[in-house]
């Protein structure tokens, strides 16, 4: 039993692999006591904080003061003397916005029930605490799930109108988590197109630190993640919390430094541009938030997320399966291709171990020669480029023993397309206004079932009729003009959440209809890299920037939350199309092979020599693939702080590891660097073939190894380390 209720103390204890979460009932209020490293189930009542946490003396009736305002509450609500960031605000029929849900019961479920329309972590023993406001009939269920194989707790709230009048949710966050003290730094992952997920740390202060998206997409601007780092902690040491939201539409995550030096974490669906009408009997389900804890610094927190997402979130059919090594034609040809050109690329990779050809943008529509026309016309294959349709290409690829991947962007539509001419009402727009065009397209109204039905039918037909084995699912703009013809006026502010439900329904129906097809997520690069998308797509194109040096930064930042196997990383051409840099093929492969991998260049130009080189890199990749899919990541050098980028990936049984040590610019002063390995077994001996040496784990971790880099930019060393008897 991972979840226990101690009736006398009225205390709930929830244990994950090496974490404990504890709260109790103080009168009828759920009072947070502890989240951190695993501890025994002792009496924790001394952790009750007395004194006003958020207000002066507020008394109600006979009470001396408001108990709720003093609590480290598991659910902060609005209007009754607690001025901290509320988790929920509900407007009652009378127009007041007060609620005071109190404990009425709880259940401990052996398995978490599936959420209705939202992706979430699977399984796990689950506690549901039922709260109710008797005056209004507003009910709240707080869900807590723990797993014995990872250091996270999954939380969410369900809000229900069990009263007789219509209510409006004006805010409906997923959780409140009060942390002790305010001695924290806040880490976020910010970015932009071709510069995704850069780490930024700021000191926690009094008041609210807030990160959010209003784009109806999690976006590359701020990932739906917040790290809360005990001051002084680092990559390898110290207590670190991480909050990761399983949601892809507009969201918010907040850390509030209160007047009494405590820190409250909260967030979920963004309450900006949000109101949800809750009729009697209806409920609103909030997205799940996954909260990791590690006493081993940021690295430990990342490993907790990697385990949680690999074990419980990502499609189990693919998460541990050997991945395709693809050749994608995008950067090789862009829109300018025909059957012969593609055939030459396919022939070009013969014997290299590349096993999947992905045909990117430009294969559909009457005249798609650039971004401006035809998006959405999946039912038409471009006759100028592929006169016989897709089938002859599919047959050719399959005859070579390769798999066939195809690009789609189902969620958007071009104004100059058959789809838009036939169904002008499908695109999101407000009557009388010109819809905003993003990359020459409009967003489809995915809140509408008829729009989704059309897409499911059309995309599934293309996949079925052409024996597609792999789909690259792109999404190149964010929603503007949020409005749906399918919603009444008083439900228009439900749009952002309903749009997310529509996106997930679309994913689910297309992916489930094609269970053997692997789907790769993409959003103009890595603009929608979030846990919800990862639930459906085991890998996501990490960035349109595939320059090896830039990728060290992007992949490092992405690994803060997401496992290596979720990052799609390709070797691209030189000079690089964004940066003009010219690292060697060996360096490009070393960085691109730290995830799900492939190549993105014109392989028809490969010479026999290059083919042999590529075959060597791919063989090496396959030899280390199990570590990429299942290993523990130790980040030894942060490229945001130095020219070095170092990953050490260790197998769970500690019998194998790979060390990739990269050095960017050659600054003359930095040819040599020391590496202290981590995560090995000190008592095992390890063979490091590349050094022609056998050393104990103790030596590798304490004395380490010392490497000298060549005197040119963008160089690396790679070691495959294996335990020996
Ligand atoms: C953006 C993607 O990130 C690229 O890889 C490519 O698929 C283009 N879209 C095609 O339009």
């Amino acid at each position: 039993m991972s979840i226990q209720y101690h009736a006398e103390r009225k205390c709930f204890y929830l244990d994950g692999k090496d974490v404990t979460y504890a709260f109790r009932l103080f009168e009828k209020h759920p009072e947070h006591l502890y989240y951190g490293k695993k501890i025994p189930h002792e009496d924790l009542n001394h952790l009750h904080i007395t004194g006003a946490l958020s207000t002066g003396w507020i008394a109600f009736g006979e009470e001396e003061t408001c108990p709720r305002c003093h609590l480290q509450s598991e659910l902060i609500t609005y209007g009754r003397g607690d001025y901290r960031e509320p988790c929920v605000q509900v407007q009652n029929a009378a127009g007041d916005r007060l609620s005071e849900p109190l404990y009425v019961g709880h259940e401990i479920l052996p398995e978490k029930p599936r959420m209705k329309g939202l992706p979430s972590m699977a399984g796990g023993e689950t506690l549901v605490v039922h709260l109710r406001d008797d005056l209004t009939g507003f009910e709240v269920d707080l869900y807590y799930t723990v797993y014995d194989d990872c250091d996270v707790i999954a939380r969410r709230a369900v809000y229900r109108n069990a009263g007789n009048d219509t209510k409006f949710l004006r805010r409906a966050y997923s959780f409140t988590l009060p942390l002790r003290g305010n001695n924290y730094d806040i880490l976020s992952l910010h970015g932009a197109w071709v510069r995704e997920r850069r780490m930024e740390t700021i000191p926690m202060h009094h008041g609210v630190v807030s990160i959010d998206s209003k784009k109806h997409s999690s976006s590359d601007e701020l990932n739906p993640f917040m790290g809360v780092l005990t001051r002084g902690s680092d990559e390898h040491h110290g207590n670190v919390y991480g909050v990761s939201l399983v949601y892809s539409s507009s969201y918010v995550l907040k850390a509030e430094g209160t007047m009494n030096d405590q820190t409250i974490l909260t967030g979920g669906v963004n309450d900006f541009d949000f109101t949800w009408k809750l009729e009697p009997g209806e409920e609103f389900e909030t997205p799940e938030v996954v909260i990791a804890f590690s006493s081993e610094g940021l690295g430990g927190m990342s490993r907790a997320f990697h385990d949680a997402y690999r074990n419980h979130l990502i499609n189990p059919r693919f998460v541990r399966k050997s991945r395709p090594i693809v050749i994608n034609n995008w950067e090789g040809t862009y829109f300018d291709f025909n059957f012969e050109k593609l055939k030459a690329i396919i022939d070009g990779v013969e014997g290299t171990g590349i096993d999947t050809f992905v045909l990117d943008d430009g294969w559909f529509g009457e005249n798609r020669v650039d971004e401006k026309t035809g998006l959405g016309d999946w039912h038409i294959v471009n006759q100028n480029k592929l006169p016989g349709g897709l089938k002859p290409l599919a047959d050719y690829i399959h005859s070579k023993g390769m798999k066939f991947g195809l690009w789609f962007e189902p969620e958007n539509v071009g104004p100059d397309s058959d789809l838009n001419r036939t169904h002008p009402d499908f695109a999101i727009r407000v009557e009388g206004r010109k819809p905003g065009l993003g990359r020459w397209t409009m967003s489809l109204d995915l809140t509408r079932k008829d729009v989704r039905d059309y897409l499911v039918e059309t995309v599934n037909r293309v996949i079925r009729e052409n024996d597609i084995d792999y789909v690259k699912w792109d999404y190149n703009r964010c929603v503007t003009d949020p409005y749906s013809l399918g919603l009444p006026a008083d439900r228009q502010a439900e749009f952002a959440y309903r749009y997310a439900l529509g996106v997930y329904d679309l994913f689910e129906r297309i992916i489930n209809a094609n269970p053997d097809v692997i789907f790769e997520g993409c959003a103009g690069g890595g603009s929608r890299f979030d846990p919800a998308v990862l639930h459906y797509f085991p890998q996501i194109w990490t960035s349109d920037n595939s320059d090896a040096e830039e990728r060290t930064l992007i992949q490092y930042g992405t690994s803060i939350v997401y496992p290596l196997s979720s990052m799609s990383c390709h070797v691209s051409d030189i000079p690089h199309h964004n940066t003009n840099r010219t690292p060697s093929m060996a360096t490009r492969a070393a960085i691109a092979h730290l995830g799900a991998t492939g190549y993105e260049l014109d392989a028809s130009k490969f010479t026999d020599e290059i083919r042999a080189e590529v075959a060597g890199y791919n063989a090496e990749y396959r030899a280390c693939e199990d570590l990429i899919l299942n290993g523990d990541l130790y980040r030894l050098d942060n490229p945001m702080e130095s020219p070095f980028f170092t990953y050490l990936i260790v197998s769970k049984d500690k019998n194998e590891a790979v060390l990739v040590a990269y050095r960017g610019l050659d600054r003359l002063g930095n040819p040599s660097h020391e590496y202290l390995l981590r995560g090995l077994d000190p008592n095992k001996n390890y063979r490091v073939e590349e050094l022609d040496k056998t050393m104990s784990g103790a030596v590798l971790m304490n004395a380490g190894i010392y490497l000298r880099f060549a005197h040119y930019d963008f160089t690396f060393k790679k070691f495959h380390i294996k335990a020996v008897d």
Side-chain angles (χ1 to χ4, degrees):
M1 283 281 283
S2 313
I3 301 180
Q4 287 181 348
Y5 179 61
H6 192 294
E8 202 182 309
R9 294 181 201 140
K10 294 191 176 159
C11 188
F12 298 96
Y13 299 92
L14 300 93
D15 290 322
K17 186 171 127 214
D18 194 28
V19 290
T20 298
Y21 192 104
F23 66 100
R24 67 166 179 168
L25 300 170
F26 179 80
E27 299 172 0
K28 289 182 175 175
H29 303 284
E31 179 188 25
H32 181 80
L33 295 172
Y34 177 78
Y35 182 38
K37 198 168 171 61
K38 198 174 230 172
I39 53 171
H41 295 185
E42 294 172 17
D43 183 350
L44 298 175
N45 288 357
H46 62 285
L47 296 175
H48 173 71
I49 296 182
T50 51
L53 283 173
S54 69
T55 182
W57 295 101
I58 303 279
F60 298 108
E62 297 305 302
E63 292 171 8
E64 258 180 36
T65 183
C66 163
R68 163 168 297 235
C69 328
H70 292 241
L71 288 185
Q72 289 292 59
S73 179
E74 289 285 315
L75 177 80
I76 296 179
T77 58
Y78 172 73
R80 300 280 288 164
D82 193 337
Y83 295 101
R84 297 170 294 180
E85 277 292 318
C87 187
V88 60
Q89 189 193 32
V90 57
Q91 181 174 318
N92 299 304
D96 70 280
R97 281 94 48 228
L98 309 188
S99 64
E100 211 166 11
L102 300 176
Y103 173 83
V104 286
H106 72 265
E107 302 162 74
I108 297 176
L109 310 172
E111 182 90 349
K112 183 172 62 172
R114 258 186 75 96
M115 292 176 72
K116 282 177 209 120
L118 293 167
S120 62
M121 301 245 295
E125 200 177 328
T126 298
L127 166 69
V128 191
V129 177
H130 304 291
L131 309 172
R132 178 179 164 83
D133 185 326
D134 278 336
L135 187 68
T136 62
F138 181 60
E139 294 184 347
V140 183
D141 290 340
L142 300 178
Y143 282 74
Y144 301 80
T145 304
V146 279
Y147 301 89
D148 54 16
D149 58 3
C150 52
D151 292 328
V152 304
I153 183 160
R155 291 195 49 189
R156 66 191 166 97
V158 173
Y159 301 110
R160 189 179 311 106
N161 182 357
N164 301 318
D165 300 317
T166 303
K167 301 185 191 305
F168 291 91
L169 286 169
R170 293 161 61 128
R171 170 180 288 189
Y173 289 171
S174 299
F175 77 112
T176 296
L177 173 59
L179 296 180
R180 277 174 200 275
N182 62 0
N183 191 28
Y184 300 108
D185 291 316
I186 302 295
L187 168 69
S188 61
L189 300 173
H190 71 100
W193 180 66
V194 301
R195 187 169 47 80
E196 293 86 350
R197 289 168 292 285
R198 289 285 202 274
M199 297 165 70
E200 182 172 55
T201 309
I202 57 160
M204 188 59 215
H205 54 69
H206 292 92
V208 178
V209 176
S210 170
I211 62 164
D212 81 340
S213 161
K214 303 180 187 71
K215 296 181 167 177
H216 304 80
S217 161
S218 49
S219 109
D220 46 29
E221 203 168 326
L222 281 164
N223 199 256
F225 159 79
M226 185 181 268
V228 184
L229 288 52
T230 306
R231 205 153 288 154
S233 61
D234 62 21
E235 177 66 24
H236 308 298
H237 311 95
N239 289 350
V240 172
Y241 299 87
V243 180
S244 171
L245 189 66
V246 188
Y247 191 56
S248 325
S249 190
S250 305
Y251 75 89
V252 64
L253 290 173
K254 294 177 180 171
E256 179 179 17
T258 67
M259 64 197 258
N260 290 71
D261 299 339
Q262 306 295 310
T263 304
I264 309 289
L265 307 183
T266 190
V269 169
N270 202 335
D271 46 328
F272 171 80
D273 197 25
F274 169 86
T275 305
W276 190 273
K277 188 174 182 184
L278 212 52
E279 297 286 13
E282 285 183 352
E283 56 183 38
F284 180 84
E285 196 152 32
T286 65
E288 185 165 76
V289 64
V290 181
I291 311 170
F293 170 81
S294 173
S295 57
E296 291 175 17
L298 203 51
M301 182 212 72
S302 298
R303 289 187 290 279
F305 278 127
H306 298 174
D307 283 341
Y309 288 167
R310 289 187 299 211
N311 296 350
H312 304 284
L313 182 77
I314 304 172
N315 188 338
R317 275 202 304 274
F318 294 104
V319 64
R320 308 213 179 256
K321 208 172 155 188
S322 173
R323 300 293 171 82
I325 302 182
V326 313
I327 174 78
N328 179 306
N329 73 305
W330 179 243
E331 291 182 25
T333 67
Y334 295 104
F335 289 101
D336 182 18
F337 61 82
N338 56 30
F339 187 82
E340 287 312 312
K341 239 189 196 176
L342 299 180
K343 200 165 158 285
I345 292 177
I346 295 159
D347 293 342
V349 300
E350 184 145 8
T352 59
I354 292 175
D355 52 29
T356 302
F357 173 77
V358 179
L359 176 56
D360 212 283
D361 195 351
W363 60 266
F364 52 88
E366 305 244 322
N367 185 31
R368 186 152 171 98
V369 288
D370 56 26
E371 298 103 332
K372 293 183 184 158
T373 59
L375 195 91
D377 288 348
W378 315 114
H379 58 296
I380 305 170
V381 176
N382 187 309
Q383 290 303 307
N384 301 327
K385 300 182 195 179
L386 299 168
L390 288 172
K391 200 63 179 44
L393 183 66
D395 290 344
Y396 186 70
I397 293 165
H398 289 140
S399 77
K400 302 281 271 190
M402 291 175 75
K403 307 250 188 218
F404 182 21
L406 195 62
W407 182 95
F408 290 91
E409 188 178 348
E411 296 159 75
N412 299 323
V413 61
D416 182 9
S417 67
D418 250 26
L419 174 58
N420 189 46
R421 282 182 285 272
T422 328
H423 297 285
D425 62 312
F426 275 17
I428 296 173
R429 51 155 73 95
V430 172
E431 196 51 44
R433 292 187 195 279
K434 283 191 182 159
L437 297 185
R439 206 190 185 220
W440 307 99
T441 69
M442 302 174 286
S443 306
L444 288 166
D445 183 358
L446 299 179
T447 68
R448 278 170 54 183
K449 182 159 182 312
D450 57 337
V451 177
R452 301 197 301 271
D453 288 348
Y454 170 85
L455 292 171
V456 170
E457 159 64 21
T458 315
V459 172
N460 278 346
R461 187 170 332 117
V462 178
I463 296 176
R464 206 174 42 239
E465 288 179 355
N466 297 289
D467 299 330
I468 306 298
D469 308 292
Y470 179 117
V471 166
K472 178 176 173 187
W473 183 304
D474 210 342
Y475 174 74
N476 281 297
R477 61 157 299 169
C478 298
V479 169
T480 56
D481 309 280
Y483 180 81
S484 173
L485 290 174
L487 291 172
D490 65 351
R491 286 196 179 272
Q492 287 295 339
E494 299 177 4
F495 181 87
Y497 179 88
R498 289 187 184 276
Y499 182 77
L501 295 185
V503 169
Y504 301 141
D505 179 63
L506 187 66
F507 287 172
E508 193 135 342
R509 289 166 65 194
I510 293 179
I511 289 168
N512 287 351
N514 302 286
D516 296 327
V517 174
I518 180 164
F519 283 74
E520 172 169 304
C522 173
S527 296
R528 193 172 56 179
F529 206 124
D530 63 53
V533 171
L534 215 45
H535 176 73
Y536 301 100
F537 302 90
Q539 55 190 62
I540 302 175
W541 181 229
T542 315
S543 174
D544 271 352
N545 191 344
S546 48
D547 170 86
E549 165 74 9
E550 296 299 309
R551 272 304 187 105
T552 62
L553 305 170
I554 294 166
Q555 293 171 207
Y556 192 98
T558 306
S559 79
I560 294 296
V561 185
Y562 306 100
L564 297 184
S565 59
S566 68
M567 291 178 226
S568 180
C569 313
H570 291 177
V571 174
S572 54
D573 212 355
I574 51 168
H576 189 265
H577 297 186
N578 300 126
T579 65
N580 232 21
R581 292 191 187 117
T582 55
S584 70
M585 173 82 97
T587 296
R588 284 176 278 150
I591 302 303
H593 289 182
L594 291 169
T597 203
Y599 295 75
E600 183 117 2
L601 33 71
D602 183 358
S604 68
K605 296 188 186 135
F606 277 4
T607 58
D608 285 346
E609 209 182 3
I610 294 178
R611 253 190 292 281
E613 207 188 319
V614 170
Y617 302 139
N618 289 341
E620 237 177 71
Y621 175 73
R622 289 292 185 215
C624 297
E625 189 178 14
D626 193 50
L627 290 165
I628 300 285
L629 292 170
N630 303 307
D632 284 332
L633 174 67
Y634 292 86
R635 292 176 296 245
L636 303 189
D637 287 301
N638 181 347
M640 281 161 253
E641 293 168 355
S642 78
F644 296 96
F645 160 89
T646 312
Y647 274 4
L648 172 69
I649 312 161
V650 182
S651 65
K652 290 278 176 197
D653 63 8
K654 299 181 185 295
N655 279 335
E656 197 184 349
V658 65
L659 176 75
V660 176
Y662 164 91
R663 204 271 335 268
L665 290 187
D666 175 22
R667 292 235 151 86
L668 297 181
N670 64 8
S672 308
H673 198 53
E674 179 198 55
Y675 295 88
L676 297 179
L677 274 51
R678 294 183 165 268
L680 301 175
D681 181 340
N683 301 315
K684 284 185 177 162
N685 287 323
Y686 293 91
R687 179 77 190 151
V688 189
E689 210 52 65
E690 295 82 352
L691 294 176
D692 190 20
K693 242 190 130 173
T694 301
M695 287 173 267
S696 65
V699 165
L700 284 165
M701 291 194 290
N702 295 300
I705 56 178
Y706 199 65
L707 300 179
R708 232 186 134 68
F709 289 94
H711 270 310
Y712 48 80
D713 296 340
F714 317 126
T715 179
F716 78 100
K717 289 181 186 289
K718 186 169 178 176
F719 302 92
H720 203 162
I721 299 162
K722 289 185 180 159
V724 288
D725 294 332

